[in-house]
Amino acid sequence: MTYNSKVLLIYTGGTIGMNRNPTTGALEPFDFEHLLHNVPELKQFDVSIDTYQFQPPIDSSDMTPERWTELAHVVADNYDSFDGFVILHGTDTMAYTASALSYMLENLTKPVIFTGSQLPIGMLRTDGKENLITSIEIAAAKDDDGHAQVPEVGIYFNGRLLRGNRTTKQSADEFNAFESFNYPHLADAGVEILYHPERMLKPQWEKSMKPHFRLDNNVIIFSLFPGIREDLVRHIIATPNLRSIVMRTFGSGNAPQRPWVMHALKEATLHGKVIINISQCMQGKVQMGRYDTGYQLQEAGVISGYDGTVESAVTKLMFLQSQYNDPEQVRHFMTQPIRGEITV
């Protein structure tokens, strides 16, 4: 049989491929054949589907930069043999992994679609079947010029295709587990899949995809809150080898006006640490000139994260720190959209 497209289905683990232990009642990773057995519809596709499985499958809570590197290698090693890639992944850290892969796969000209489920594939009410089937259809889709319909890293869940590095998990219980609050959907799946090409990244089709396999995870995330203690903040800032901080601030990028806060942050930036200001709000953007508190952060050398997500900021820092030793270069690229991750 001749197929129109070839898709590589990569199973890392997660709820979609789990089974319930009859003794403990807990969900445990199962093998890939179990997953395929429960979705016989895959055989009806005019798509050739090959598979790759992490051994053993992992809970997404155990995801690491080393695993991201493994995923980047799997995509890069198979890039010329397939038209698209679907990565089955646990929901808890999916937005981190999708963000990391978006930076590690430069000039991506083929779809890399993450999906999973809130209920295991073998359960009667599972959301896994639709998520998997539609993700494969998206990964195989081409436009009238024969180019990939979605030449970027996306997350498909519950009828929505979202840009991977714009996405956050919004619910632990509902089927619409993900949303990209500050960027519109790349596609909406109803009776038909409605693509929005004007929202897609535009790669250089004539050039090759350039993979990157190094990450530097000397970065930390911390949230401001009323009553935050000076000694603890200074302790974090003084952490050996720490190169950057994702600081989750209030509202449009505000922080307490207490003098020690600004002194500590200014001291950190003067010592070469990169501090990115990301709002604790899920929607909206950091506007550091809007209030005096945000302006003072700017004066202390803190950089705006604009409308980016925490997941995107931390993985972008890991990527940039692996590329550049100079903190000024890291700061520069953190304020530029390199994979459509922020709106400046």
Side-chain angles (χ1 to χ4, degrees), residues 216-230:
D216 179 347
N217 62 344
N218 285 300
V219 56
I220 198 166
I221 303 167
F222 78 77
S223 294
L224 297 178
F225 57 90
I228 191 167
R229 284 177 46 166
E230 178 180 1

Side-chain angles (χ1 to χ4, degrees), residues 213-273:
F213 303 117
R214 291 187 300 120
L215 294 167
D216 179 347
N217 62 344
N218 285 300
V219 56
I220 198 166
I221 303 167
F222 78 77
S223 294
L224 297 178
F225 57 90
I228 191 167
R229 284 177 46 166
E230 178 180 1
D231 57 335
L232 298 181
V233 171
R234 288 192 178 276
H235 183 74
I236 291 169
I237 289 173
T239 302
N241 302 319
L242 180 66
R243 293 183 62 187
S244 59
I245 296 167
V246 176
M247 184 173 66
R248 301 183 69 235
T249 55
F250 307 129
S252 58
N254 303 311
Q257 288 197 62
R258 300 173 70 179
W260 71 259
V261 174
M262 300 306 164
H263 290 158
L265 296 175
K266 189 164 190 175
E267 190 178 313
T269 58
L270 287 173
H271 283 86
K273 290 182 171 61

